[in-house]
């Protein structure tokens, strides 16, 4: 695999996650705003949401998490973010049933907490 191919592969998943997060819209429901798409993954039968501003240490590789397809604008074809895959890592000192980290490498991993 060439350096360009590796670089391209490393950019795909973060781009999918960013697209899902940025492409979110909110709707009013009973006075509260709801995101129709969120920074989410599924792993081991659980759904996880991204968590910001919390220090954590990435542990061992667990397997592969799924980034669900996102279509927050169903009347606008071509805006759907396709389902993707990303590496899941343990978070040191935390049960994976509570939180995991996801990313192409441990250094790029993002903390995700179970929903």
């Amino acid at each position: 695999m060439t350096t360009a191919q590796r670089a391209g592969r490393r950019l795909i998943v973060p781009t999918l996650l960013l697209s899902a997060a940025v492409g979110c819209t909110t709707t009013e429901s009973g006075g509260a705003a709801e995101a129709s798409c969120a920074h989410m993954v599924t792993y081991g039968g659980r759904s996880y949401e991204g968590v910001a501003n919390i220090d954590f240490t990435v542990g061992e590789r667990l397997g592969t998490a799924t980034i669900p397809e996102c279509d927050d604008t169903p009347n606008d074809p071509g805006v759907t973010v396709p389902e993707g895959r990303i590496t899941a890592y343990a978070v040191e000192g935390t049960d994976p049933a509570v939180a995991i980290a996801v990313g192409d490498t441990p250094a790029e991993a993002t903390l995700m907490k179970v929903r």
Side-chain angles (χ1 to χ4, degrees), residues 1-11:
M1 180 179 293
T2 69
T3 302
Q5 288 172 321
R6 281 193 298 270
R9 180 177 282 177
R10 289 171 55 185
L11 291 174

Side-chain angles (χ1 to χ4, degrees), residues 2-92:
T2 69
T3 302
Q5 288 172 321
R6 281 193 298 270
R9 180 177 282 177
R10 289 171 55 185
L11 291 174
I12 290 171
V13 173
T15 301
L16 288 173
L17 288 172
L18 181 60
S19 296
V22 172
C24 294
T25 61
T26 59
T27 58
E28 291 295 322
S29 173
E34 296 179 23
S36 57
C37 290
H39 181 199
M40 292 180 44
V41 299
T42 57
Y43 173 77
R46 295 179 182 86
S47 294
Y48 296 82
E49 290 181 315
V51 180
N53 302 321
I54 296 178
D55 290 330
F56 67 98
T57 302
V58 176
E60 66 184 39
R61 183 184 191 281
L62 297 173
T64 302
T66 301
I67 303 165
E69 178 179 282
C70 176
D71 183 7
D72 66 350
T73 55
N75 295 325
D76 190 1
V79 180
T80 302
V81 177
E83 182 178 285
R85 304 273 185 263
I86 192 164
T87 303
Y89 299 94
V91 174
E92 286 189 12

